Each structure stands twice: as C-alpha cells, then as structure tokens.
Amino acid sequence: MNNTVKATFIIDRIYRAKPARVFAAFATEEAKGKWFGGPDSWTQLEKAFDFRVDGIEISVGRHPSGMVSAFYATYHDIVPDRRIVYAYRMTLDDKPLSSSLATIELQPDGEGTRLTLTEYGVYFDGYTEADAAGREHGTNWLMDKLGAVLEGEPAPKPPWET
C-alpha cells in the first residue's frame, strides 16, 4: 500500500486571557504540561521541550491498551504573543502515522485573545479520512483543555471517554 490522505483544518477559539498569557501556555514547559498531552490514563515515557526557533519538542506515552503514541515537533517561527509555526510527526507503536505543519496565530479580541490554529496534515499508508478527522477532533479537545486551564477550571475529559 502506498497512499496518503491529506487534510487541512482550522480551529478558532476566543479565550478570556491576554495574548501574552495564551502564548505563555505554549512557550513554557510547566504551563504547556497543564493542558498538552494524553488523557489521565496515559503514561508519559519520554519528554523534551526546547521552545525556540529550531528547537524540538518530544512527547511519548503509553495508553492503557499498551499502544505507544509519539509526537516529535520542530519549531520554525516564533513571534512572542503573536505566532507559532511548527512541523510535527506522529507515530503509533513506532509506525509513522502523519506529518503536519501547524500555525497558531494570536490576535487581541476585546479583553481576550482569538486563537486561530491552522493545520495541514499528511496521513500515511493505512490511515484514512477518519484518522484525519480524529486529529481535528483531538486538537479541538486540546484547545478545550487549554481554555479550561486559562480559566482555572478542570480539564474536560477526552471525547472518547465521555
């Protein structure tokens, strides 16, 4: 099998926090650790965080089923309080799943921030449009978690656990 599935999605959120605070939720390991990652049942196996242009981020974890998922990112452009551009790849049990280019843009919106996340992904052999839709669904969940953290509220459960 030698096919790819391509998918683009855009997520818009308004957060009741200034752009600097939303940016900091991506830019510091401690803040990002509060919202980025798998569900509570997920066990972190490996982690690296170097938030700078050409810096890398790695997050590898085991799900209760035993499956290991991995996220490997490289930052390409960072404009404090305004923009983050990064490329990342994901694997499941060391099998390539996808490669993506993501852009996060932050704009002041009244007393808060409009976050626009645009992602273009390529899903590899054996993965389908449903997998691409699942990525968008999971990214929406992460943006919901980010919003909860910014509001000081409990993080929502992942959609597959509700």
Side-chain angles (χ1 to χ4, degrees), residues 80-118:
D81 307 339
R82 303 259 333 271
R83 183 176 60 240
I84 303 165
V85 179
Y86 59 100
Y88 73 96
R89 65 185 177 91
M90 293 192 71
T91 63
L92 293 177
D93 291 331
D94 292 324
K95 178 185 174 194
L97 165 61
S98 64
S99 288
S100 298
L101 178 65
T103 301
I104 296 167
E105 297 171 284
L106 306 174
Q107 298 290 327
D109 187 277
E111 293 297 311
T113 301
R114 175 180 293 277
L115 178 146
T116 303
L117 185 152
T118 305

